[in-house]
Amino acid sequence: MLAALFGVFSGALMPVQTSVNTRLRRSVGSPLMASFFSFLVGTCALLVATLITSGHLLPALGLTAGQPWWIYTGGALGVVVLTGNILLFPRVGSVQTVILPITGQIFMGLLIDAQGLLGSPQVGLGPLRVGGALAVLLGAAAVVGALRPGRRQAPRQPGIWLWRAFGVFMGMCSATQIAVNGRLGTILGSAVESALVSFSVGTATLLLLLLLTRTPWRGVEGGPWWMWLGGILGATVVFATALLGPILGTGLTVVLMLLGMMTASLLIDTLGLIGGVRIRVGWTQLLGLGIIITGVALIRVV
C-alpha cells in the first residue's frame, strides 16, 4: 500500500516539475539549456543522496560487470521523452502531446509485465488488466479534454502521422525507462544509485546535444529561487521508478504515476499554483479522474 501511495505521490511531482522547468526556461532562454541545468541539479542532489545512504560518493559500477549494456540507457531514454515533448507540442497540439505518450506508456508497460522483459517481474495479462488499462486511457482523454465537444483541433502539419507515431514511441521509452532503472537498481542494490547513473547519463547526453546544436549561453535573467528545484523533483521521480518497478511491476507503476500526474495537474489548474493561470475544471475532467482511479483499481487487484 505504501509503495502504491509513493507511486501516486511521485507522479504528482511530474506536472510540478514541468511548471518549474518552464519557469527556468524563461530565465535561461533555451529548452535544452533548461533541461541540462535541471538534470545537472538532479545529478548533484543524487550524489549527495548516494553519499548519505551508502557512505560513498559514486555508485558501485563494478557490480554491473557482465550485465547487458542496456542497463545504462535509462538516462538517454529520459532525454528522448524530455526533448520529444518539446518537438511534439507545436506539431500535434497539447491534447495529443499528452494522450499519445500515455498510450505508449500503458501499452509498453503491460507488454513488459506480460513478457517479463528487461528483468521485470512477469505478470499475466488478463481481461481485468486490459480493461483497467483501457479505462485509464479513457479517463486520461477526458481529463485533458480530448473527449470535449468542440475542442480546438491540432494544427495540421506535414507528416503528422509520423509525429503521432513518435508520440506513442515516446511513451514506450518512458515505460522502458522504468524497467531499465528498476533492473539497474536491483543490480546495484540501491534505487538511489540507479537514479544517479540515469541522471548522469542524461546530463552527459544533454551536454552533447547542446554542443552539437551550438546552443548559445546568454546567462540567467533573474527568476525565483524555486526554478532550480526541477532537477530535485525529477531525481525523486526517477528514484521512484527504480524503486517501484521491481516491486509493483512496470505496468502498475506507470498507471499509479499517471493517476498522481493527472490529479496534480487538475489541482494546479484549479488553484493556479506555481505561477499558473487559474483554470476552471469541468465535470468531464473530474469524471475522467474517477475513471482513471477505477482503471488503477482493476489493474491493482490482479
Side-chain angles (χ1 to χ4, degrees):
M1 183 62 180
L2 289 177
L5 290 175
F6 185 51
V8 175
F9 170 76
S10 302
L13 295 179
M14 295 169 70
V16 180
Q17 181 197 14
T18 299
S19 298
V20 171
N21 284 344
T22 298
R23 181 60 187 85
L24 179 61
R25 174 185 174 180
R26 285 167 52 192
S27 292
V28 300
S30 162
L32 276 180
M33 192 70 72
S35 299
F36 171 73
F37 278 117
S38 181
F39 265 75
L40 184 61
V41 170
T43 300
C44 293
L46 287 166
L47 281 169
V48 174
T50 298
L51 180 62
I52 293 173
T53 57
S54 65
H56 49 79
L57 191 62
L58 301 177
L61 296 180
L63 297 174
T64 64
Q67 297 294 330
W69 61 270
W70 49 257
I71 61 173
Y72 292 107
T73 61
L77 291 169
V79 172
V80 169
V81 176
L82 187 69
T83 308
N85 276 312
I86 298 172
L87 296 173
L88 201 63
F89 178 80
R91 292 170 173 84
V92 301
S94 59
V95 170
Q96 292 186 57
T97 299
V98 175
I99 290 298
L100 292 171
I102 287 175
T103 303
Q105 277 184 297
I106 293 175
F107 169 77
M108 194 64 184
L110 294 182
L111 178 63
I112 289 172
D113 283 351
Q115 301 296 322
L117 302 177
L118 304 173
S120 297
Q122 190 168 6
V123 183
L125 188 62
L128 281 181
R129 284 180 69 83
V130 174
L134 292 175
V136 170
L137 182 58
L138 177 63
V143 169
V144 300
L147 305 181
R148 188 180 305 158
R151 67 178 179 86
R152 187 177 180 180
Q153 298 295 317
R156 293 184 178 275
Q157 295 283 343
I160 190 169
W161 283 105
L162 290 176
W163 285 109
R164 287 169 175 164
F166 177 67
V168 175
F169 173 73
M170 281 169 48
M172 295 173 71
C173 287
S174 180
T176 303
Q177 182 190 27
I178 293 176
V180 168
N181 288 341
R183 176 60 177 166
L184 181 59
T186 300
I187 294 170
L188 296 176
S190 169
V192 174
E193 293 183 23
S194 172
L196 173 58
V197 173
S198 181
F199 254 71
S200 299
V201 171
T203 302
T205 303
L206 282 165
L207 178 59
L208 179 61
L209 287 174
L210 286 173
L211 294 175
L212 290 176
T213 57
R214 298 183 180 180
T215 302
W217 165 244
R218 73 174 196 185
V220 181
E221 297 182 355
W225 61 271
W226 49 259
M227 71 181 186
W228 299 101
L229 298 181
I232 297 176
L233 296 174
T236 304
V237 172
V238 174
F239 162 74
T241 64
L243 177 68
L244 299 179
I247 298 173
L248 301 175
T250 302
L252 182 56
T253 301
V254 164
V255 296
L256 286 171
M257 296 183 75
L258 175 60
L259 172 59
M261 182 181 74
M262 290 296 176
T263 302
S265 296
L266 290 182
L267 285 174
I268 289 172
D269 286 348
T270 303
L271 301 177
L273 302 176
I274 322 178
V277 178
R278 183 174 293 186
I279 301 174
R280 182 179 178 183
V281 175
W283 67 268
T284 55
Q285 293 171 301
L286 295 176
L287 176 61
L289 188 60
I291 295 173
I292 292 175
I293 294 173
T294 302
V296 170
L298 288 174
I299 295 175
R300 182 74 177 90
V301 299
V302 178

